[in-house]
Amino acid sequence: MVFMSKPAPEQFSFIRNSKPTPFFSGIPLIDLSKPDSMHQLVKACEEFGFFKVINHGVPMEFISKLESEAVDFFSLPLSEKEKVGPPSPFGYGNKSIGQNGDVGWVEYLLLNTDQESISQRFSSVFGDNPEKFRCALNDYVSAVKRMACEILEMMADGLKLQQRNVFSKLLMDEQSDSVFRLNHYPPCPEIESLNGQNMIGFGEHTDPQIISVLRSNNTSGLQISLGDGSWISVPPDQNSFFVNVGDSLQVMTNG
């Protein structure tokens, strides 16, 4: 692909749907409050590489506050949002994804989880004291990290590793390169005239991380590829989290 600072709609990818893709009902469900959740989690990693988590311990108050702050940010005029960009790699990005020229119908915030850098970057948008956004982000990320550590330690138990924190310590280390991303897929009036086509917001890819923890605000669109190469639609659930096994974990565990 050719890198474009402001790609035109015709340069994006589309999917032509002859009929809607039904939601897949077989996504593995992991209830972290159940004593047998470790065995179910390991099986889900081996067979799907993707699963849904309930009773995760992340307060809905934290989720709602951060979502509200995200809606406020993405509702700002483009000129205001661009004060937090361009992403290098952190910051606000619009349509251009990464350094390889990939594009998608998406705008996003990519952040590290260091509080000081967040305060400095957002002072230009939220004024001299971006405390409200920073606190919402910190509460949410801290709670999700705790959940992620529990999941990673259950994975280590399932692999019968002596060090239970062999994965989780990579997340909790002060030098951790874990990142937080907010994606917003804005409406696209241009596709209304393209009968039977859907714009691709974020194209086909694998995640390079150990795991990715995903949440949707009850909006459909997420699809995953099964072992046979078929694509299935994941039913959204704003009260739950989804976990995707990344390339790093697949390599570290030899598949």
Side-chain angles (χ1 to χ4, degrees):
M1 291 185 178
V2 177
F3 179 83
M4 298 162 288
S5 59
K6 292 186 178 180
E10 62 269 17
Q11 293 164 319
F12 290 92
S13 298
F14 295 85
I15 294 178
R16 179 174 291 280
N17 289 328
S18 56
K19 57 183 178 179
T21 303
F23 286 129
F24 182 69
S25 59
I27 301 294
L29 179 65
I30 309 300
D31 185 343
L32 292 184
S33 68
K34 296 292 182 64
D36 63 341
S37 56
M38 182 199 74
H39 301 289
Q40 295 178 354
L41 185 150
V42 171
K43 184 179 179 182
C45 288
E46 292 176 343
E47 297 180 359
F48 273 83
F50 188 89
F51 53 89
K52 178 179 175 177
V53 177
I54 61 173
N55 290 322
H56 43 70
V58 180
M60 286 304 301
E61 177 189 4
F62 292 174
I63 294 173
S64 299
K65 282 184 177 179
L66 183 62
E67 185 171 315
S68 176
E69 290 296 316
V71 169
D72 288 346
F73 174 80
F74 288 119
S75 298
L76 291 172
L78 181 60
S79 59
E80 289 296 306
K81 291 182 285 190
E82 286 180 335
K83 292 179 180 179
V84 197
S88 57
F90 301 111
Y92 171 77
N94 184 21
K95 299 183 177 64
S96 297
I97 304 171
Q99 304 298 315
N100 297 321
D102 295 333
V103 296
W105 198 258
V106 60
E107 58 176 348
Y108 61 90
L109 277 174
L110 183 63
L111 306 169
N112 59 17
T113 52
D114 177 65
Q115 296 184 29
E116 183 62 29
S117 65
I118 292 171
S119 297
Q120 292 175 355
R121 183 170 282 272
F122 280 86
S123 61
S124 60
V125 176
F126 294 119
D128 295 331
N129 184 20
E131 192 68 16
K132 187 180 177 186
F133 179 85
R134 187 192 64 77
C135 287
L137 181 61
N138 185 55
D139 288 343
Y140 178 88
V141 169
S142 296
V144 172
K145 273 188 173 183
R146 287 192 292 271
M147 175 190 66
C149 283
E150 181 179 357
I151 290 171
L152 290 169
E153 289 175 357
M154 289 168 65
M155 289 178 177
D157 289 341
L159 290 166
K160 297 179 174 57
L161 301 177
Q162 290 186 350
Q163 283 188 295
R164 194 167 189 262
N165 68 340
V166 66
F167 299 132
S168 60
K169 68 180 180 181
L170 302 175
L171 177 61
M172 299 309 295
D173 190 279
E174 290 184 1
Q175 302 299 318
S176 173
D177 58 357
S178 59
V179 298
F180 176 72
R181 184 183 189 109
L182 282 166
N183 286 338
H184 174 232
Y185 303 95
C188 181
E190 291 87 345
I191 69 170
E192 292 179 358
S193 60
L194 301 173
N195 186 30
Q197 289 188 324
N198 290 328
M199 183 76 80
I200 293 180
F202 207 120
E204 178 181 340
H205 65 280
T206 61
D207 291 339
Q209 300 90 299
I210 298 176
I211 60 172
S212 297
V213 180
L214 314 170
R215 180 190 167 271
S216 168
N217 60 342
N218 231 25
T219 302
S220 60
L222 175 64
Q223 295 185 335
I224 61 172
S225 177
L226 300 180
D228 61 5
S230 61
W231 288 87
I232 59 171
S233 292
V234 178
D237 185 346
Q238 61 184 351
N239 298 315
S240 304
F241 287 89
F242 294 92
V243 175
N244 187 52
V245 170
D247 299 335
S248 296
L249 182 62
Q250 189 172 3
V251 171
M252 292 167 72
T253 60
N254 196 28

